[in-house]
Structures are given as C-alpha cells and as structure tokens.
C-alpha cells in the first residue's frame, strides 16, 4: 500500500457548530463508510449527562478490530454516518445526571460505550461505568474492558476452561490473545496453542507453549503432531476456512467459539469477494453431527450481548472479577502503542496489518508525532493519513 503524507489541516467543524457560544469538543468521526480517509477529527457540541448518566472527560480510548469492520461497513446493520466510533474509554467524571448516586464528579472511571468513545467528552449510563482501582493508569483502564471481558467470557463462561485443558487461539499477539494468556494462568496446567506472525513469537513465547505462523505453517497439522487427539477449546476470530480447521481440531466434548471474522477485512475498504469467501468457506454443521461427535459450536459478540440483548449484568459481574484480578496483580493489559486522535489512520492501519502486540490506544491528550519522527518508524507501515485524518489516501488495495 503506497501512501504520501501531506501537511496537517485544521480540525473540521460539523454543520451544527455555528453558534459562537456553543461549547465544543474534538471527536474522531466516521464521515461515511469506506477507507481511512473517511476518519476525521471534528469539532462537535459538548454533551450533557441525562438521567442516570455521567459525563466523562476522556483520557484514553481502546481501538478494536470491530472499529475497522464498522468503518468498512462489514457489519450487520451498520450505523448511519456520520458517527463517532469507539466502544471503550477511561477518564474522569466531569458531571453527573439526575438520580446518579454511585459516582461523583472527580471519580476515575472505566466505561464501555455503544459508539461515541473517541471524543474528549462522552456521556455513559452508569450501568456501563466502573470505578478504576487505585494505582491503575488511564491507559490500562482503557485497554481492559472489551478485550479482557471478551477473553474471560470465552474461556470461563462459554469454554468452561478447567485445569489441564488445552486452548487454541488465533491472533495470539493481539489484545484478546494477550488477555487469554493471562487469564488462563488462573488455572493449573493449561496448554496454550496460538497463531501469530513469526516476528511476534519471541515476545510471546513466555506465555505460550506452542506458536505457529499460519501464513507459512499448516497449524492444523502442527497441532495434530503435538496433540494427536486435538484441543479442548478453539477461540476463532478469523472465520472462513479457519472455522473448519478449528472444528476438526476439537477433542470429544471440545468447544469451538467464533468471536470475530477478521478474514473479511483484506484491504482498506470492504471487499464483497472477501466477505462472501469467508462465509461460504464455512462448512454447514448438522446438529446430528454435533450429537454424534460430542462437540459444541458457539459464538460471542460482546457489544450485541450488552447493548442489543440487554445482558449488562454479565458485563458487571465479569468486570468486578477482572478489577479484582488487576488489584491482586494477576492481570495487566499489554499496551502496544498510544496514538493521538489525529493519528487514527496510522493506528487503524497498524491494527489492520497485525503489527501490534497487545492493545492499540488513542488519546485526546497525546500530540501527533512530527512528520520526520513518523518517517523513521519502520515497524508500522504508514497509513494513508500518515497522522493526518483530513487527507485523501493514495492507496493500493490489498
């Protein structure tokens, strides 16, 4: 993907910001479905907390692969644009709405949002807010909720992980993979198999017994060599043909869990061919086959669970346990990098290219790096924005 950096332009204002006395904030806005050039930093009116809500001055925000899929329109019922992306953040409560008694102005909090987290200010219902423990950084707090809640539910709620079991995880170097590695240590003798790019293996090997680069290795055959009977749990964020491989690796009473479909994201913009290919490659599984083989197939999508299906009680229970584990020093998010709002294109490209080890964050507090510093970075290919979310990209589709 070839790109050309240009000089930064002023932050845009939305049409609704004409009144001079309107208080404004910066937000990262998806202007329309498409490539990286559709992400722009804009001025928007400051929100006000409603009944049962708090307003948070945001310090750090999490970036998830789902954000990339929303940007491309590769999700069911994509939201109407323009919209502020982002599903998790940390910050300080600046105001509270009516009937709020369990949070006060000045409290440090973690929040999960139904979009809108990538702003200097965000309003959130209190049922999706959690007090930060003493000593926790805002970066750790922003990296915790989605990745660790997902990993905990995959392992313990759906996977029923027990001591002595084995788990295969794709994207072992990502934020969820890092969380799985830490959370599985709460039990004895859990064997972890992971797929990750070869250049990540050295950094990951301390927490993973077996690592494979699926671009150059047939991980299905490699797992079978090590464990001919297969594995107990497969956690798949890829979909497509990897679904079939994962199912075939299950032991009797094994569990395959799909929690993503990143194989549909092959370029900067949505590819209908990749989307169709990923889904049509999945074998249709007859329930009678599951019955005969004593296997389980399930799926998990956190945002749907808590926002569409109303199971925020699950979120609250898991977050309480995760915060307890953090306070006890048993888990700590792995932070790969923190980017400025204006560098959202670079951050998204890094995640897309699987160059991260751990969580990628963005922050309204961080200043964009000077252009000469960015050009010296060799680990992450430059994005079409090169830190400037206003410029059109000159990209070559993957």
């Amino acid at each position: 993907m070839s790109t050309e950096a240009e000089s930064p332009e002023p932050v845009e204002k939305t049409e609704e910001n004409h009144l001079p006395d309107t208080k404004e904030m910066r937000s990262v806005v998806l202007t329309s479905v498409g490539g990286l050039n559709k992400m722009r930093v804009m001025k928007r009116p400051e929100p006000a907390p409603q009944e049962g809500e708090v307003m948070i001055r945001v310090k750090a925000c999490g970036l998830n692969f789902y954000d990339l899929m929303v940007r491309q329109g590769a999700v069911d019922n994509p939201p109407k644009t323009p919209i502020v992306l982002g599903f998790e953040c940390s910050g300080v409560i600046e105001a509270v709405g009516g009937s709020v008694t369990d949070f006060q102005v000045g409290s440090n909090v973690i929040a999960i949002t139904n979009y809108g987290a990538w702003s200097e200010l965000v309003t959130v219902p209190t049922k999706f807010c959690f007090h930060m423990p003493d000593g926790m950084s805002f970066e750790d707090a922003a990296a915790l909720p989605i990745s660790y809640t997902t990993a905990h539910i995959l392992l313990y709620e759906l996977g029923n992980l027990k001591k002595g079991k084995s788990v295969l995880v794709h994207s072992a170097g990502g934020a969820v993979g890092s969380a799985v590695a830490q959370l599985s240590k709460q039990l004895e003798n859990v064997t972890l198999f992971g797929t990750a790019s070869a250049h990540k293996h050295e950094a990951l090997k301390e927490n993973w017994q077996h690592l494979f680069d699926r671009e150059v290795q047939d991980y299905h055959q490699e797992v079978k060599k090590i464990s001919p009977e297969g594995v107990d749990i497969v956690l798949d964020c890829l979909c497509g043909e990897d679904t079939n491989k994962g199912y075939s690796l299950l032991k009797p009473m094994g569990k395959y869990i799909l929690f993503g479909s990143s194989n549909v994201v092959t370029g900067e913009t949505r590819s209908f061919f990749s989307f169709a290919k990923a889904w049509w490659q999945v074998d249709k599984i007859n329930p009678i086959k599951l019955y005969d083989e004593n296997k389980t197939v399930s799926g998990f999508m956190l945002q749907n669970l808590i926002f569409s299906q109303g199971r925020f009680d699950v979120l609250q229970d898991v977050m309480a346990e995760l915060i307890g584990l953090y306070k006890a020093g048993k888990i700590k998010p792995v932070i790969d990098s923190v980017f400025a709002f204006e560098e959202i294109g670079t951050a998204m490209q890094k995640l897309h290219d699987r160059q991260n080890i751990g969580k990628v964050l963005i922050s309204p507090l961080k200043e964009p790096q000077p252009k000469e510093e960015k050009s010296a970075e060799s680990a992450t290919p430059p994005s079409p924005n090169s830190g400037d979310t206003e410029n059109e990209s000159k990209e070559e589709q993957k």
Side-chain angles (χ1 to χ4, degrees):
M1 183 181 292
S2 62
T3 61
E4 182 177 316
E6 300 177 19
S7 300
E9 297 177 6
V11 172
E12 289 192 7
K13 292 187 177 183
T14 58
E15 295 180 358
E16 53 196 343
N17 294 336
H18 293 306
L19 296 177
D21 58 345
T22 301
K23 290 185 177 180
E24 296 177 329
M25 63 177 182
R26 290 158 56 239
S27 299
V28 182
V29 180
L30 175 64
T31 58
S32 60
V33 170
L36 294 171
N37 62 303
K38 304 303 182 183
M39 300 300 307
R40 303 185 181 230
V41 179
M42 293 183 171
K43 289 290 186 77
R44 297 168 65 86
E46 289 188 2
Q50 303 301 307
E51 188 80 9
E53 292 183 340
V54 296
M55 183 173 73
I56 301 169
R57 174 69 63 177
V58 175
K59 304 296 184 181
C61 315
L63 176 60
N64 296 285
F65 209 88
Y66 191 70
D67 293 299
L68 277 64
M69 296 180 67
V70 173
R71 193 200 74 218
Q72 292 192 2
V75 298
D76 290 335
N77 302 313
K80 183 180 179 181
T81 55
I83 189 171
V84 178
L85 292 184
F87 297 94
E88 60 187 338
C89 64
S90 63
V92 181
I93 292 179
E94 197 158 291
V96 298
S99 73
V100 174
T101 59
D102 46 349
F103 292 91
Q104 294 78 39
V105 172
S107 297
N108 294 345
V109 292
I110 306 167
I112 287 186
T113 65
N114 191 14
Y115 295 94
W118 295 353
S119 292
E120 291 180 309
L121 290 165
V122 62
T123 55
V124 184
T126 57
K127 62 188 176 183
F128 301 124
C129 287
F130 308 91
H131 289 283
M132 286 173 52
D134 293 341
M136 179 182 247
S137 69
F138 288 112
E139 292 180 0
D140 278 0
L144 182 77
I146 289 182
S147 298
Y148 278 79
T149 298
T150 296
H152 191 283
I153 292 174
L154 292 175
L155 288 175
Y156 295 107
E157 303 290 331
L158 299 175
N160 194 29
L161 182 64
K162 305 288 186 183
K163 65 179 182 180
K165 299 295 186 180
S166 55
V167 186
L168 168 66
V169 186
H170 290 300
S171 297
V176 173
S178 299
V180 166
Q182 293 181 16
L183 289 170
S184 65
K185 287 185 175 180
Q186 307 312 307
L187 296 174
E188 297 178 0
N189 196 30
V190 173
T191 302
L192 291 179
F193 297 81
T195 67
S197 300
H199 68 87
K200 299 182 181 182
H201 288 191
E202 183 65 26
L204 299 176
K205 66 180 184 180
E206 182 180 350
N207 293 319
W208 299 80
Q209 287 86 356
H210 308 286
L211 289 166
F212 314 103
D213 183 348
R214 65 186 187 88
E215 297 298 324
V216 297
Q217 293 176 283
D218 184 345
Y219 68 85
H220 181 275
Q221 292 301 318
E222 295 300 320
V223 172
K224 283 289 191 180
K225 290 177 185 177
I226 299 166
S227 178
E229 71 277 19
V231 297
D232 296 293
I233 302 171
V234 173
L235 305 180
D236 180 12
C237 60
L238 303 175
C239 197
E241 64 178 351
D242 293 287
T243 297
N244 306 328
K245 291 181 178 180
Y247 181 85
S248 67
L249 282 172
L250 290 180
K251 297 178 181 179
M253 296 186 68
K255 297 172 176 62
Y256 164 90
I257 309 169
L258 180 70
F259 69 102
S261 53
S262 62
N263 276 338
V264 308
V265 181
T266 55
E268 187 186 331
T269 56
R270 180 181 178 182
S271 165
F272 287 99
F273 173 76
S274 297
F275 188 85
K277 178 182 177 183
W279 288 106
W280 281 105
Q281 283 179 327
V282 178
D283 291 341
K284 305 301 181 290
I285 299 177
N286 189 311
I288 299 299
K289 183 178 181 181
L290 299 177
Y291 167 78
D292 287 339
E293 298 183 352
N294 285 299
K295 295 181 179 181
T296 299
V297 174
S298 60
F300 179 70
M301 203 286 196
L302 180 63
Q303 283 87 348
N304 282 351
L305 181 74
I306 60 178
F307 294 118
S308 301
Q309 298 160 351
R311 292 302 308 275
F312 57 86
D313 58 313
V314 176
L315 171 68
Q316 292 171 336
D317 290 344
V318 173
M319 280 296 294
E321 185 165 347
L322 291 173
I323 289 172
L325 289 171
Y326 183 91
K327 291 167 67 175
K330 295 183 177 180
I331 61 171
K332 181 175 172 57
V334 177
I335 309 296
D336 175 88
S337 47
V338 185
F339 293 91
F341 272 7
E342 291 77 11
E343 298 171 316
I344 184 59
T346 305
M348 281 190 158
Q349 190 66 47
K350 185 170 193 178
L351 197 63
H352 174 277
D353 293 341
R354 278 79 165 178
Q355 293 297 314
N356 60 302
I357 297 178
K359 193 76 172 184
V360 176
L361 303 176
I362 61 173
S363 171
L365 306 180
K366 189 173 176 63
E367 293 293 330
Q369 291 183 19
K371 188 188 302 184
E372 58 270 19
E373 290 185 23
K374 290 181 183 183
S375 62
E377 291 181 353
S378 58
T380 305
S383 77
N385 293 302
S386 295
D388 173 15
T389 56
E390 305 298 331
N391 295 329
E392 295 292 324
S393 66
K394 297 178 180 180
E395 65 125 8
E396 179 180 326
Q397 291 288 332
K398 284 191 174 184

